[in-house]
Amino acid sequence: IIIQKMYYNKQEVIMGKIDVTIVGGGMITNDLLLPVIYHLQRTGIIGQIHISALNSEPLKKLRDNPDLQQSFPGQSFMPHPDFLEPEKNCYPELYKEVISSMKPRQIVVVAMPDNLHYDVVMEALKNNQHVLCVKPLVLHYKQAEEIEQITREEGLFVGVEYHKRFDRRSLMAKRSYQLGHFGEFVMGDAKLIEPYYYRHSNFQNWFTTDRTDPFVYIGCHYVDLVYFITGLRPVEVSSEGVKGRFPNGNQGFLWSDARVKFENGAILSVTNGLGYPDAGAGSNDQGLLMYCEGDDKTGMIKHDDQYRGVAYCYLENIGPGGSAYNYVSPDFFRFVPWEGEGYKPVGYGPDSVSAIIGSIKYIEDNAGDNIEKRRRMIEDIDKKGIIATPANSFINELVVEAGRMSITSDGRPVKILYKPEPHVEFR
């Protein structure tokens, strides 16, 4: 079996399987992480799969998901707590027991709300485990710095799942920008409006004003993407939010608008929210527009990410928000027929998850107990800069930290300073 890699120009002979524990059984586990991990299990990369959640309810939903049953017949996972455990019983610390029982240097996948990432990542590292974490890694730069120091000392890999980096459009833009085909980025606009039905999900229990906001949760994707394409570092953030009530009465920032300034003076406006109409044709509304200055001319990068040239009209209202007519993007994630049993997950989402897991597997197969070799291999990945790591993408933690300071202070601008050491402060 050959794993496709973007970082090592060779074929890997698979040695031993690697076990995975997913901490968190919510939307991202259902929609992306578990399908990819199931596929890697049936192709011989991954061994045991454990999933730890607060209670048994989300675990039973994952088990009974008809798409997963169709796509991965006969596959399942070890639930923590057990499927038979009453849903009312909650175990917020159970993940620690599950992680502590793992063999050394396996993989912990962190799929928790933003404000809980730090605790779970640190628990994994404390137990000598590699980590795949959904974005953003943490909400404070000092936490990212602490994590990066541990990974460097212990030879453990932490990959942050900024999947837009693996969109071929993004990779094309990065290459062309590096070759000087666009000029220098000066002005841009990004938006990502998620569906209204998110408000009826578990979001209403954690997406509260004191914990996170749309800019931190999804706007970070596009700030990271501009940095990924251009290499330009952000130096200032101002963000304002519109508050509203979730169905359970909790208050959250349901909309946000941010302004990010980069070190060359370029400005990116970022609009985010949980409010794309459920009856709308697209599952969300998102895109990126970047204008660049050249020699007596300008260049432009434009990504219409909510519409990828495919439209379906179903017989029934089975679209993402219960609609019949949909813009169906084939690029982020889809199940498709393949040469094996069931269906295969494809898209830049699966590519991103597979790249992080594949890199961890490659490190273990080729370095094993040799900590110096693991460190060198991790440093090579850091320098390549495709997979986001604490070492090569710490600007994201500075951005979300600045964004939280700003949005909770009615949009007051926050500076990002890199000397004498990286930090944020009010302008």
Side-chain angles (χ1 to χ4, degrees), residues 166-328:
F166 287 82
D167 187 340
R168 287 171 174 81
R169 294 159 178 79
S170 304
L171 294 166
M172 288 168 55
K174 179 179 178 65
R175 176 179 181 272
S176 293
Y177 191 93
Q178 290 175 339
L179 293 174
H181 295 166
F182 299 117
E184 184 178 19
F185 169 58
V186 292
M187 186 64 61
D189 178 72
K191 62 178 176 179
L192 207 173
I193 313 297
E194 295 288 22
Y196 186 92
Y197 67 77
Y198 275 29
R199 302 188 190 187
H200 288 272
S201 71
N202 190 49
F203 273 57
Q204 62 186 315
N205 296 317
W206 66 270
F207 203 91
T208 50
T209 53
D210 61 322
R211 295 176 179 176
T212 191
D213 57 78
F215 174 71
V216 165
Y217 178 67
I218 46 179
C220 64
H221 260 311
Y222 277 113
V223 179
D224 175 76
L225 191 55
V226 170
Y227 170 68
F228 177 69
I229 292 170
T230 68
L232 295 169
R233 298 180 302 179
V235 295
E236 186 175 287
V237 177
S238 59
S239 179
E240 293 191 77
V242 177
K243 298 176 183 178
R245 294 286 177 181
F246 287 101
N248 65 358
N250 285 340
Q251 186 181 61
F253 289 109
L254 302 183
W255 303 90
S256 67
D257 185 73
R259 180 178 181 271
V260 182
K261 188 175 181 179
F262 290 81
E263 59 188 332
N264 70 332
I267 297 172
L268 177 73
S269 298
V270 187
T271 303
N272 302 114
L274 307 181
Y276 183 80
D278 289 345
S283 59
N284 55 33
D285 186 7
Q286 58 174 308
L288 173 67
L289 175 62
M290 298 170 60
Y291 285 100
C292 305
E293 289 277 358
D295 185 12
D296 197 31
K297 62 186 69 174
T298 56
M300 181 181 72
I301 301 170
K302 185 176 183 180
H303 292 176
D304 290 324
D305 292 334
Q306 82 281 4
Y307 180 70
R308 302 295 178 96
V310 180
Y312 288 167
C313 188
Y314 303 105
L315 294 175
E316 305 293 338
N317 294 335
I318 60 172
S323 55
Y325 182 77
N326 287 103
Y327 298 144
V328 183

Side-chain angles (χ1 to χ4, degrees), residues 45-66:
I45 311 301
I46 285 173
Q48 294 183 2
I49 301 171
H50 295 254
I51 304 181
S52 178
L54 179 65
N55 54 49
S56 64
E57 181 182 10
L59 300 174
K60 288 187 283 190
K61 288 181 178 178
L62 290 170
R63 178 196 62 188
D64 299 335
N65 182 321

